[in-house]
Amino acid sequence: MILYYNIPKTIEDELALSGEERIYYAVPFDIDAGAQWVKDSYLIVTTKRILIHTGGKLTASYDIKDCSEAKSCPRVGGGLLTVNHRGTEKILVHYSAKHLSRYAYVARGINILISGRFEEVESREYEKTCPKCGRAIPGTKRCPKCSGEGTWLAPFLRMAAPYKKQYFGIFILMILAAVTTLLNPELQKHLINDVLKGGGGMKQALVFLGMMFSLSVGIVIVNVLKSNASARLGARIAGDLRYELFRKYQELPISFINDRRPGQLLNEITQDTMFIRQFMEDVFCNLFAVLFIFIWDVIFMLVLNFKLALLTFLFVPLAVFLTMTFRKTMHRIFSLQYRKNDDVSSDLQDVLSGMRVVKTYGKELEEAEHFKHLSDEFARINRRNESFWAVFSPMLQLLMGLGVLAVVLFGGRDVLGGRMTPGALYQFVTYTQLLFQYIGWLNRLPMQLTQLGSCLERINDILGQEVEKQDETKVTDLAIKGEIRFDHATFGYKSYQPVLEDINAVIKPGEMIGIVGASGAGKSTLINLLMGLYEVDDGRLLVDGKDIKEIRKSSYHSQIGVVLQETFLFSGTILDNIRFSRPDAGIDEIIHAAKLANAHDFICDTPDGYNTYVGEKGHSLSGGERQRIAIARAILTDPRILILDEATASLDTESEYMIQKALERLTSGKTTFAIANRLSTLRGADRIMVIDGHRIAEIGSHEELLEKKGIYYRLQMAQSA
Ligand code: ADP
């Protein structure tokens, strides 16, 4: 879809498009050159021209053939789009922050147009529209308006759908519980009127008491069964949701995980699902029983004594009014409590995972202070919420006490006047107490439903994220030979800030490429693209001439190997950790890989050899040893493409020698990309790629680059000085 807004007809007429000329982009902008807000202003890009309409008038026009480069430049609070026109930089439009990513996209589109690749522009898709409301929604986000945010019923029903049978069973038990609860006051009335007052005798009294006792036992049994079934169902739903969330986290693009704080992700899995379990146990298991009792309670009261019932009901709107007034506050304070809780968990995680750095810099006290601040804040919000309830609940209780008092007063008058039997009054008072008891319960319900809504919203937000699954009809397995081609590849973590721009390079199978550049230049980003963790925003990345997007991910990943500066070891044995890359590998193959990786000897020296437990709470390995495990892991899959990210940085000389040797064995004959800050470690590289200013600034052999006397030469001189 092309970014084409319904520009006013007058503007379209004024454009006077020639026969073949077509509009590619018509994008609004909202700030003029004098930093004033403007309306009805558009940047229009056609196959031939770039036109600017400000406030309904054509204010500039440039022929695309005279332009050489378009750039979107983020500024504080917005940005501007420039183009190089006949050698001078021209500012095309200014825009506010809401247009940033759109203009970054347009800038890249203009550059593609400038290079004449029209088809590529046409195949680009930026926004999609919500099928329900037709609003534009960027990327893979769901439409915020139509996804049912803020409500609880639809998501709850969706969550409950797979467990229909269990829900039905619990529903029947709830109805049984309600019927037995409602029968009790009726029996009490007969006991008083027919037996105690009517002189029914001891035998009849015992029969009634026996019935009442059986009913009470019945209520207990039904309630136990109901609670048990609800708790079991709650635990099952929570377990299933936890699993679904965990799986979703693994499927989601890495950028999604990077954008969120770990505490938040953790809470979604643990706390939100725990709340749902609690909701099932404490709220849902009583929900229909309470509603059923409540409705029949009201009917019985009206039938028993219409006037008295109306008098009692006068107190109900007051209670409801109180609840409604407080509801908004409740939502706000509980959302805040959740947010603060996330802050505390995230900080705790940050500090625990960075404990070495904290201790090295002696920042324990500062970190403790920071944590104390967050924790105090959380406690303060918690206290405030508790006090809120502490005041709110007794106010309602008082109201209910007054209601019962009024019933006794006016009902008593009816009994004395002979208009009501004492048994009926007793029954009425019991119904009134039930009514108020359940108003109290129902009164808490909105808060619990609101909390449930927030939990489900967060969970659904994750589960509803579209996973960019590869289209099975378009992807194929590929036996990789190892040729890599970057074809006008552009990528940025934020679409309006490209980290790599217009990267072009062809790497032959088996070639070793050293990647150098200043810190933050984009070396790891290039490698992230090669590892298939991110996709290029524009241009293509080709493997053996095939777009990486068209290669099945599992097939691609099984043919690349990675050795990073910091090797992550999972909790498990050394054997498990090597086998991680190829679970079907036999023990002989693992030992062979470990020998090639120069790891066998040190593994044999550990307490249990290959069965030594490493990772969290396991035997600690040195940096060099971890590295050799990673190399063994990579050797095991015999990858066609290898990625080494500072693999030999921060190692002692002896380890480095062993690892260099192991790496030489690993890399021979494979397309290898090696990032290194110390240029001496790149001696074996066939060519060196220097990344600077978002682009490949230089590429060539060590000798060629030295001769060129450019960036690489200067780096070399600086390091050998
Ligand atoms: P290098 O490896 O050359 O040191 P990187 O590729 O790690 O550089 O980073 C290049 C740029 O991209 C830096 O400006 C960095 O801040 C940014 N960057 C790296 N990773 C992310 C990320 N996950 N999200 C957003 N920006 C990132």
Side-chain angles (χ1 to χ4, degrees):
M1 191 184 81
I2 289 163
L3 280 191
Y4 179 73
Y5 285 77
N6 285 331
I7 45 173
K9 185 90 180 71
T10 45
I11 297 185
E12 214 174 329
D13 290 344
E14 213 178 304
L15 292 177
L17 299 180
S18 59
E20 287 162 19
E21 193 174 14
R22 284 197 295 132
I23 299 177
Y24 276 134
Y25 304 113
V27 191
F29 62 90
D30 47 8
I31 299 174
D32 68 7
Q36 299 297 316
W37 292 104
V38 283
K39 278 187 182 166
D40 303 326
S41 300
Y42 295 88
L43 168 93
I44 298 159
V45 183
T46 73
T47 24
K48 295 184 173 158
R49 294 175 295 168
I50 301 175
L51 306 149
I52 294 151
H53 260 263
T54 315
K57 279 196 216 89
L58 181 69
T59 46
S61 167
Y62 304 94
D63 272 351
I64 291 225
K65 63 176 179 355
D66 297 333
C67 300
S68 58
E69 191 186 16
K71 270 196 266 182
S72 66
C73 318
R75 296 279 184 269
V76 180
L80 45 98
L81 182 76
T82 63
V83 72
N84 189 316
H85 183 252
R86 292 184 183 152
T88 43
E89 190 103 326
K90 291 262 166 41
I91 295 178
L92 296 177
V93 292
H94 297 256
Y95 40 84
S96 64
K98 74 173 182 190
H99 293 299
L100 270 176
S101 69
R102 223 172 238 159
Y103 271 99
Y105 177 84
V106 172
R108 293 205 295 272
I110 296 177
N111 285 330
I112 298 175
L113 279 177
I114 289 172
S115 64
R117 292 176 285 142
F118 296 105
E119 279 160 30
E120 209 175 300
V121 176
E122 281 164 28
S123 67
R124 286 155 46 103
E125 187 173 314
Y126 174 68
E127 285 163 320
K128 57 178 189 178
T129 41
C130 168
K132 280 194 198 151
C133 68
R135 292 200 317 180
I137 31 179
T140 55
K141 263 187 92 78
R142 293 178 309 145
C143 175
K145 204 175 161 200
C146 303
S147 59
E149 279 171 16
T151 61
W152 62 272
L153 188 63
F156 180 78
L157 291 179
R158 222 175 305 136
M159 173 190 88
Y163 314 94
K164 276 191 216 101
K165 260 194 223 154
Q166 288 90 330
Y167 274 101
F168 186 70
I170 296 171
F171 182 75
I172 297 288
L173 287 170
M174 281 198 241
I175 300 297
L176 265 177
V179 171
T180 44
T181 308
L182 285 167
L183 266 180
N184 223 3
E186 184 65 22
L187 283 178
Q188 285 165 357
K189 181 182 89 177
H190 285 293
L191 180 70
I192 293 173
N193 283 355
D194 305 344
V195 184
L196 300 181
K197 203 165 156 269
M202 200 56 197
K203 209 172 148 203
Q204 211 184 352
L206 281 177
V207 171
F208 264 98
L209 286 174
M211 277 161 68
M212 283 166 71
F213 176 74
S214 314
L215 204 62
S216 302
V217 173
I219 293 177
V220 170
I221 293 175
V222 170
N223 276 334
V224 167
L225 288 176
K226 176 167 68 81
S227 304
N228 224 328
S230 303
R232 271 212 310 266
L233 179 60
R236 210 177 126 187
I237 292 180
D240 289 354
L241 279 177
R242 266 198 304 272
Y243 175 65
E244 267 187 62
L245 280 169
F246 186 79
R247 271 194 39 193
K248 193 77 186 190
Y249 283 165
Q250 314 231 338
E251 280 178 5
L252 284 167
I254 203 147
S255 54
F256 183 87
I257 305 288
N258 278 347
D259 286 349
R260 297 190 166 218
R261 295 175 316 169
Q264 197 182 346
L265 294 171
L266 212 68
N267 280 353
E268 270 149 8
I269 286 211
T270 53
Q271 299 206 350
D272 286 350
T273 52
M274 191 169 76
F275 177 82
I276 287 172
R277 187 176 58 77
Q278 275 171 355
F279 178 88
M280 290 301 299
E281 275 175 32
D282 304 335
V283 185
F284 182 78
C285 89
N286 294 315
L287 188 65
F288 289 105
V290 170
L291 290 175
F292 189 84
I293 294 174
F294 194 81
I295 293 167
W296 280 104
D297 202 271
V298 169
I299 295 172
F300 287 153
M301 284 171 82
L302 286 168
V303 171
L304 266 177
N305 191 328
F306 192 72
K307 271 197 221 153
L308 203 55
L310 290 185
L311 175 82
T312 319
F313 298 161
L314 278 183
F315 290 85
V316 176
L318 272 174
V320 173
F321 174 73
L322 262 180
T323 311
M324 299 295 269
T325 323
F326 281 87
R327 201 172 151 179
K328 267 205 173 125
T329 327
M330 286 191 291
H331 182 69
R332 195 167 44 80
I333 62 180
F334 278 101
S335 302
L336 192 65
Q337 187 171 323
Y338 262 107
R339 268 211 311 281
K340 295 287 169 194
N341 192 13
D342 276 351
D343 287 349
V344 172
S345 315
S346 289
D347 191 65
L348 197 61
Q349 270 219 326
D350 269 3
V351 173
L352 289 181
S353 50
M355 196 53 104
R356 273 173 62 186
V357 180
V358 173
K359 280 193 182 297
T360 317
Y361 285 94
K363 296 278 182 196
E364 294 96 326
L365 253 173
E366 274 174 48
E367 287 300 332
E369 276 298 307
H370 182 63
F371 184 74
K372 185 172 180 311
H373 169 74
L374 291 178
S375 168
D376 285 351
E377 187 64 13
F378 177 55
R380 189 180 67 78
I381 302 285
N382 239 334
R383 268 200 311 276
R384 211 182 66 184
N385 292 358
E386 292 301 329
S387 332
F388 175 79
W389 273 106
V391 174
F392 182 47
S393 281
M395 272 167 69
L396 273 169
Q397 302 260 317
L398 183 71
L399 196 73
M400 289 174 209
L402 286 175
V404 173
L405 218 67
V407 167
V408 174
L409 184 70
F410 291 99
R413 255 187 20 191
D414 282 354
V415 172
L416 291 175
R419 291 182 296 278
M420 197 179 188
T421 62
L425 177 64
Y426 190 84
Q427 189 184 11
F428 197 93
V429 169
T430 314
Y431 282 142
T432 309
Q433 280 167 338
L434 269 182
L435 180 85
F436 284 148
Q437 181 188 332
Y438 287 130
I439 286 185
W441 193 91
L442 287 170
N443 175 45
R444 281 197 305 276
L445 191 62
M447 179 193 73
Q448 280 153 333
L449 290 180
T450 312
Q451 265 181 296
L452 176 74
S454 314
C455 279
L456 289 174
E457 194 181 303
R458 276 192 297 271
I459 291 178
N460 282 336
D461 185 39
I462 304 273
L463 294 182
Q465 287 290 331
E466 274 178 37
V467 181
E468 281 174 42
K469 279 226 171 85
Q470 289 188 299
D471 183 349
E472 281 298 314
T473 56
K474 287 191 185 145
V475 294
T476 45
D477 293 337
L478 181 72
I480 296 174
K481 291 192 194 72
E483 190 212 63
I484 304 281
R485 191 147 73 91
F486 288 95
D487 176 24
H488 298 285
T490 294
F491 170 79
Y493 297 95
K494 294 189 188 92
S495 59
Y496 51 87
Q497 267 174 351
V499 174
L500 295 172
E501 245 180 305
D502 202 22
I503 301 287
N504 291 293
V506 182
I507 291 103
K508 292 193 284 293
E511 209 179 355
M512 179 168 178
I513 301 286
I515 305 175
V516 297
S519 169
K523 304 182 292 293
S524 307
T525 306
L526 190 86
I527 289 228
N528 283 343
L529 294 177
L530 281 166
M531 289 199 277
L533 296 181
Y534 295 89
E535 282 183 359
V536 292
D537 295 328
D538 269 312
R540 290 180 307 166
L541 170 55
L542 303 145
V543 179
D544 293 347
K546 201 170 178 68
D547 196 321
I548 190 169
K549 291 177 193 164
E550 290 165 16
I551 306 173
R552 185 169 288 118
K553 279 219 160 88
S554 53
S555 157
Y556 183 68
H557 283 143
S558 67
Q559 297 175 76
I560 60 172
V562 189
V563 182
L564 304 173
Q565 185 177 7
E566 275 287 319
T567 301
F568 185 76
L569 295 184
F570 295 94
S571 302
T573 61
I574 293 181
L575 193 77
D576 296 336
N577 267 289
I578 300 179
R579 195 184 259 158
F580 182 75
S581 61
R582 225 190 85 205
D584 63 334
I587 183 83
D588 294 347
E589 290 173 278
I590 293 174
I591 293 176
H592 181 67
K595 280 184 178 161
L596 288 179
N598 281 340
H600 182 69
D601 290 347
F602 89 77
I603 294 175
C604 292
D605 286 344
T606 55
D608 295 316
Y610 281 85
N611 288 324
T612 302
Y613 205 81
V614 291
E616 214 178 314
K617 297 201 190 110
H619 183 79
S620 291
L621 297 180
S622 74
E625 289 166 344
R626 281 162 175 266
Q627 212 65 312
R628 281 176 271 169
I629 300 253
I631 295 173
R633 221 186 240 172
I635 289 177
L636 203 57
T637 54
D638 191 24
R640 301 315 309 153
I641 301 169
L642 256 176
I643 288 163
L644 314 176
D645 188 354
E646 303 265 14
T648 55
S650 67
L651 294 179
D652 55 77
T653 334
E654 196 195 339
S655 289
E656 185 172 341
Y657 176 74
M658 301 274 267
I659 287 171
Q660 279 292 2
K661 286 280 152 219
L663 283 176
E664 274 168 28
R665 279 182 216 136
L666 173 63
T667 57
S668 88
K670 290 165 191 142
T671 311
T672 305
F673 293 85
I675 295 186
N677 275 329
R678 275 180 304 152
L679 303 184
S680 56
T681 54
L682 290 179
R683 249 171 266 133
D686 298 307
R687 278 191 298 165
I688 288 159
M689 190 188 267
V690 183
I691 309 227
D692 191 50
H694 309 308
R695 288 163 197 266
I696 298 180
E698 295 170 7
I699 185 162
S701 68
H702 171 76
E703 290 74 23
E704 281 165 5
L705 293 188
L706 282 186
E707 228 166 78
K708 204 172 169 193
K709 291 210 161 43
I711 303 174
Y712 183 74
Y713 173 82
R714 286 199 294 278
L715 279 173
Q716 186 75 32
M717 290 300 114
Q719 290 197 0
S720 56

